[in-house]
Amino acid sequence: MHSPTLRKVNLLYLICMILVITLGSLAQSISFAWGLILTEIFFIFLPAWLMFRNEKINLRQLQIFLQPNGSLLLVSFLLGMGAWFVGSMIEIFMVQITGYQTEIIPGIIPTSVFQALLIFLGFAIAAPICEEFVFRGIIQSTYQKYYSPLLAILAASFLFAFFHMRLQGFPGLIPVALVLGFTYWRTRSLLACIVVHFANNLFSVIVMIQGGLFPNIQLPFPSIQAALLGVMLLFVGIILIIRLTPKPEKETTDTVISYQKWSTFWPLVISAIIFSVVVSMEILNKKPLIYMPLSSKAMAENAVLHYEIRHKGGEIIGKAFCQLSSDNELIFLKCQRSNDAFEIQVGNSYYNSLAGSTDLNVHWKKDGLSLIYLQQDNQTEVFSNQILIEPDGETFIATILNSQGFEEQIKITPQTLVTEEWAYRLMGLSFESQSTWIATYLEPFAWRTETEDNGPVLKQNFLIQSQKEKIQVPAGNFDTWKVQLMDGQTAWYTDSTPHIPVKIQGDVLDYYLLDQE
């Protein structure tokens, strides 16, 4: 059977890479959505198609169009879903580890339904079809004729990850690349790989569309919980694929090749050089992550804020009152909250709370909004708990206790954000100068898997991101800065100074601004 040689396949890879980073980048800079579709069709798919036409290779002889059954396609979708859940969290961790952020590509967040449709067509339709035709249908298919299945899968997977030209995003691409390689080797079906790729990209599209068109909807991903679900989906999906398909026979070729031959592998050497140059530019143009530069200048130093409280189903179950005041050196926050009991299931998540009340009293320094004092008292008919943060010499001590006799202390810095308090202190963010920050975050009553109990957990390098969004609350329509914490909690602030939190989306309760004085 006539098939392309390794040299020609490697050369095809280099040609597509050059086309994408030159003409493809130019097209996407003019219009991201249209440019993405053109890039996939004309700069990835078309060169491969022309090579096959020139070589007079029958594509069907390469067995890349075998049709799997419906069960296998469903498993393929779940594999792609699981790979995205895992890969998205890896990418978030890479942002924390590398300590920098890359610029958001203009136009990648849709602002209209038509733009969202184009992004869906580019990411979820064109990219899976065109890229799988090249990377699994051609590259991996050819490598499998010269190498063991494991080496062929690794080669195609790493070439796929390198092709996306992202140093920070590289580790996050590996799970889906390996799953795609395994799926193709085991099923011999390009369609199954397209479904895996479609599912993986679909969740990226959902996040983009939610950010641009449905900012009030809270997505359960990316998150640690979704990543754990992703690991389970990958484990179960791989087992099911093994059970649903026979083990493939080893492929062979009559072509003899010297593995050290320069004429075979020089395109990959050139590709590696190009990759190094592109990622070097990524590092040089990076925006370093910094601990949040807070300032009281953009903060409301004297204000009264009234909120209605809703549970995750949208029903009003309480109210809150917050007062901000200041003197020459300090800013004071006093909040009172009361809520009714409720229990509700939203999707796969279950939320409940007893009827109760909360009193929060916080003092910040005007200079840098560092924490000076915090006391939070939570009271229900069944139990009560308290959080107390005070200076202790050169450090600060957070004491967490409850009516059942639990008491624990933890050392923190005055810059540490605290549950319930963080949404008000971040009024002092400089939104225009930065969109991503890192912080230290204290969750006083978190589940601790090591000790299997609830207690204080201090989270280092806690990622915080912001973007502009329009939002509607009972107090009116606002242009806001949306600030999202790594654990999914979110607050929306008026874009004009002073920055007022018009909506706060917590772990269990959501606050909607009614009016301000």
Side-chain angles (χ1 to χ4, degrees):
M1 180 181 69
H2 186 38
S3 63
T5 64
L6 271 181
R7 186 182 72 83
K8 290 180 179 178
V9 165
N10 293 337
L11 183 59
L12 171 67
Y13 178 81
L14 174 60
I15 291 171
C16 290
M17 177 180 283
I18 293 173
L19 288 173
V20 168
I21 64 175
T22 54
L23 299 179
S25 296
L26 176 62
Q28 291 176 46
S29 68
I30 298 172
S31 170
F32 175 78
W34 282 112
L36 176 63
I37 295 172
L38 292 174
T39 297
E40 294 293 342
I41 295 173
F42 292 101
F43 307 138
I44 296 177
F45 180 84
L46 185 59
W49 179 263
L50 291 176
M51 185 192 79
F52 271 66
R53 290 289 300 272
N54 184 62
E55 295 292 318
K56 295 183 173 58
I57 299 172
N58 187 337
L59 295 180
R60 294 189 178 275
Q61 287 182 333
L62 295 178
Q63 297 182 315
I64 61 177
F65 292 107
L66 295 182
Q67 304 296 314
N69 58 39
S71 299
L72 197 54
L73 292 179
L74 176 59
V75 173
S76 299
F77 184 90
L78 295 177
L79 279 173
M81 177 179 174
W84 189 87
F85 285 166
V86 173
S88 61
M89 278 310 300
I90 291 175
E91 187 159 350
I92 289 175
F93 289 140
M94 283 301 298
V95 172
Q96 293 179 278
I97 292 169
T98 58
Y100 71 87
Q101 60 177 320
T102 55
E103 294 286 348
I104 296 177
I105 302 172
I108 197 170
I109 304 298
T111 56
S112 67
V113 174
F114 180 70
Q115 191 178 10
L117 177 61
L118 288 179
I119 288 176
F120 172 81
L121 291 175
F123 271 105
I125 304 298
I129 294 174
C130 299
E131 293 178 16
E132 289 314 302
F133 177 76
V134 173
F135 284 95
R136 254 55 60 177
I138 298 176
I139 294 177
Q140 183 172 327
S141 177
T142 303
Y143 269 75
Q144 285 176 180
K145 299 180 186 304
Y146 298 95
Y147 298 97
S148 68
L150 177 60
L151 287 177
I153 291 171
L154 290 174
S157 298
F158 278 88
L159 288 176
F160 176 80
F162 282 121
F163 191 79
H164 287 75
M165 295 291 175
R166 297 174 59 217
L167 178 62
Q168 200 177 69
F170 182 85
L173 287 167
I174 295 301
V176 69
L178 293 175
V179 167
L180 287 165
F182 173 80
T183 301
Y184 179 67
W185 169 72
R186 189 75 193 194
T187 66
R188 287 298 191 272
S189 170
L190 197 64
L191 181 57
C193 294
I194 290 172
V195 171
V196 172
H197 202 145
F198 165 79
N200 180 83
N201 286 16
L202 175 64
F203 284 89
S204 292
V205 172
I206 290 173
V207 171
M208 295 174 200
I209 293 176
Q210 179 271 331
L213 301 183
F214 306 101
N216 293 332
I217 297 177
Q218 182 181 9
L219 295 175
F221 48 78
S223 65
I224 296 292
Q225 296 82 355
L228 294 175
L229 173 62
V231 171
M232 183 185 70
L233 289 174
L234 291 176
F235 179 76
V236 173
I238 289 172
I239 291 177
L240 288 174
I241 278 193
I242 292 173
R243 291 189 174 184
L244 289 170
T245 58
K247 185 176 181 179
E249 297 180 0
K250 180 175 175 57
E251 295 187 42
T252 59
T253 181
D254 295 331
T255 304
V256 178
I257 183 170
S258 170
Y259 298 124
Q260 305 300 323
K261 198 171 182 180
W262 169 253
S263 64
T264 298
F265 295 105
W266 70 263
L268 298 188
V269 175
I270 302 299
S271 300
I273 294 173
I274 294 174
F275 175 81
S276 300
V277 171
V278 173
V279 299
S280 296
M281 293 174 62
E282 174 185 317
I283 296 173
L284 290 174
N285 295 326
K286 68 183 180 182
K287 295 183 67 176
L289 289 179
I290 59 175
Y291 278 89
M292 296 174 303
L294 298 174
S295 171
S296 61
K297 293 180 180 179
M299 190 175 188
E301 297 184 6
N302 294 280
V304 177
L305 308 174
H306 297 270
Y307 295 92
E308 66 180 26
I309 301 175
R310 304 180 190 178
H311 60 47
K312 297 302 179 182
E315 180 183 352
I316 300 173
I317 46 88
K319 59 183 179 180
F321 163 86
C322 291
Q323 182 175 12
L324 285 157
S325 59
S326 62
D327 61 19
N328 291 333
E329 296 183 355
L330 301 177
I331 294 180
F332 308 97
L333 171 70
K334 289 186 177 182
C335 288
Q336 294 179 326
R337 179 187 79 204
S338 61
N339 64 272
D340 301 329
F342 71 90
E343 55 180 329
I344 185 172
Q345 183 169 348
V346 180
N348 294 323
S349 299
Y350 178 77
Y351 304 92
N352 72 313
S353 174
L354 297 171
S357 63
T358 294
D359 291 312
L360 177 65
N361 186 12
V362 186
H363 302 169
W364 302 296
K365 272 188 178 181
K366 273 190 173 181
D367 183 16
L369 292 179
S370 57
L371 189 63
I372 296 297
Y373 173 81
L374 182 147
Q375 181 175 342
Q376 180 178 327
D377 296 295
N378 302 311
Q379 184 76 42
T380 71
E381 294 180 355
V382 178
F383 70 91
S384 63
N385 58 49
Q386 184 184 74
I387 306 163
L388 182 63
I389 299 176
E390 295 179 300
D392 182 28
E394 296 182 355
T395 63
F396 277 70
I397 298 293
T399 303
I400 292 90
L401 49 89
N402 63 30
S403 55
Q404 281 76 41
F406 173 87
E407 181 173 348
E408 190 169 331
Q409 293 184 328
I410 185 171
K411 290 184 178 181
I412 66 170
T413 67
Q415 286 73 38
T416 301
L417 300 178
V418 185
T419 301
E420 302 279 356
E421 167 266 355
W422 69 268
Y424 301 98
R425 200 181 341 171
L426 294 193
M427 288 189 288
L429 273 175
S430 177
F431 297 105
E432 292 82 0
S433 62
Q434 192 89 0
S435 62
T436 305
W437 304 269
I438 50 177
T440 304
Y441 179 82
L442 174 64
E443 190 171 352
F445 296 100
W447 176 252
R448 301 180 292 193
T449 55
E450 292 183 359
T451 55
E452 296 187 347
D453 66 349
N454 285 299
V457 173
L458 192 62
K459 301 177 180 180
Q460 305 287 346
N461 291 334
F462 196 71
L463 197 65
I464 298 174
Q465 296 180 300
S466 73
Q467 65 183 64
K468 276 199 167 185
E469 283 190 357
K470 293 182 180 293
I471 190 172
Q472 182 177 9
V473 296
N477 298 321
F478 295 90
D479 292 321
T480 68
W481 287 102
K482 174 186 176 183
V483 177
Q484 187 166 26
L485 305 191
M486 185 177 173
D487 64 358
Q489 295 185 85
T490 309
W492 287 260
Y493 303 88
T494 53
D495 66 343
S496 58
T497 55
H499 299 305
I500 300 295
V502 297
K503 179 182 175 183
I504 303 169
Q505 192 167 267
D507 288 329
V508 178
L509 302 174
D510 297 340
Y511 296 71
Y512 292 77
L513 185 67
L514 289 171
D515 60 67
Q516 58 177 311
E517 302 172 17

